[in-house]
Amino acid sequence: MTDQEAGLRARLVQVGIDLLTEEGVQALSLREIARRAGVSHGAPRRHFPTHLSLLSAIARQGFADLAEKAAADIDAHPSDPRAQLMALGRGYLDFALTHRGMFELMFRHDLLESGHLGLRDTSLPLFQVLVDLVARVQPQSDVPARVVAGALWSNLHGIAQLWRWGSLQLATGADEVEPLLRAALDAHLGPEGR
């Protein structure tokens, strides 16, 4: 791939990210991305043979951004895995709430199921970070760390979705998400300091 081709590919992904941020998942058509990138409507097909492949490339960037944020959040607490999990959870919820369109795209079942598009290679290592931290917090647990991490992730994802919709605020009276995050960690890992 030439530098020019790589540049156009990157530009198409960035235009897709910008469109996603401005208008949401429903606006991500090949034609609109091409129009905003200033290329013919057929140009994206040279780099992304299907609409799904372009969406996957955009979602891969979202996972890369989330992984970078997670690494920075974890590094801020080098010797405390529980604090690292709290920071990871806080970062996940913050990402979900500030990057709504990207968050929705990243977890589309049709994208995740199509393993040949490379999205699993970006998403699964991030889940492994969560598994490793859970194992460090609960080294003697009877429940495998992967299962606890899956349950915790499901809980965090649910908190993110329900908070975005306003349902949790209505049901709990909470005006911030932090107490819900702490409750989720306590529910899955036991109270802090236990």
Side-chain angles (χ1 to χ4, degrees):
M1 181 182 298
T2 68
D3 288 345
Q4 186 177 12
E5 290 171 330
L8 177 56
R9 181 179 169 80
R11 189 166 89 228
L12 291 168
V13 170
Q14 186 57 55
V15 166
I17 291 169
D18 295 344
L19 184 59
L20 182 64
T21 301
E22 294 167 19
E23 299 185 33
V25 173
Q26 70 283 354
L28 289 177
S29 70
L30 284 174
R31 186 173 293 273
E32 182 59 17
I33 290 171
R35 186 186 73 74
R36 287 186 179 216
V39 298
S40 72
H41 69 272
R45 294 252 186 232
R46 288 194 288 276
H47 300 284
F48 303 100
T50 66
H51 186 233
L52 202 60
S53 63
L54 177 54
L55 295 180
S56 292
I58 294 167
R60 270 194 305 278
Q61 185 60 52
F63 276 112
D65 293 346
L66 180 57
E68 184 178 313
K69 178 168 183 25
D73 291 342
I74 289 168
D75 287 348
H77 307 277
S79 61
D80 185 349
R82 179 75 178 229
Q84 289 174 327
L85 271 172
M86 188 69 178
L88 179 65
R90 195 178 292 118
Y92 185 82
L93 294 174
D94 179 60
F95 186 90
L97 298 174
T98 58
H99 299 88
R100 292 175 174 221
M102 180 62 82
F103 189 75
E104 181 181 339
L105 177 67
M106 287 165 57
F107 294 101
R108 277 187 41 183
H109 179 73
D110 58 336
L111 295 178
L112 292 171
E113 278 299 305
S114 50
H116 67 281
L117 297 173
L119 200 51
R120 290 179 190 168
D121 298 337
T122 311
S123 61
L124 290 179
L126 187 55
F127 179 68
Q128 189 59 48
V129 169
L130 181 60
V131 172
D132 294 344
L133 286 173
V134 166
R136 288 180 57 208
V137 171
Q138 291 188 320
Q140 305 300 320
S141 177
D142 293 336
V143 181
R146 185 166 293 284
V147 172
V148 174
L152 179 56
W153 174 37
S154 298
N155 201 172
L156 292 174
H157 198 84
I159 290 170
Q161 287 291 72
L162 292 170
W163 193 267
R164 285 178 49 198
W165 295 331
S167 302
L168 276 176
Q169 297 90 317
L170 182 63
T172 66
D175 57 356
E176 60 181 54
V177 75
E178 186 85 8
L180 298 164
L181 172 59
R182 287 191 183 284
L185 286 177
D186 288 349
H188 294 288
L189 303 170
E192 192 167 6
R194 179 183 69 141

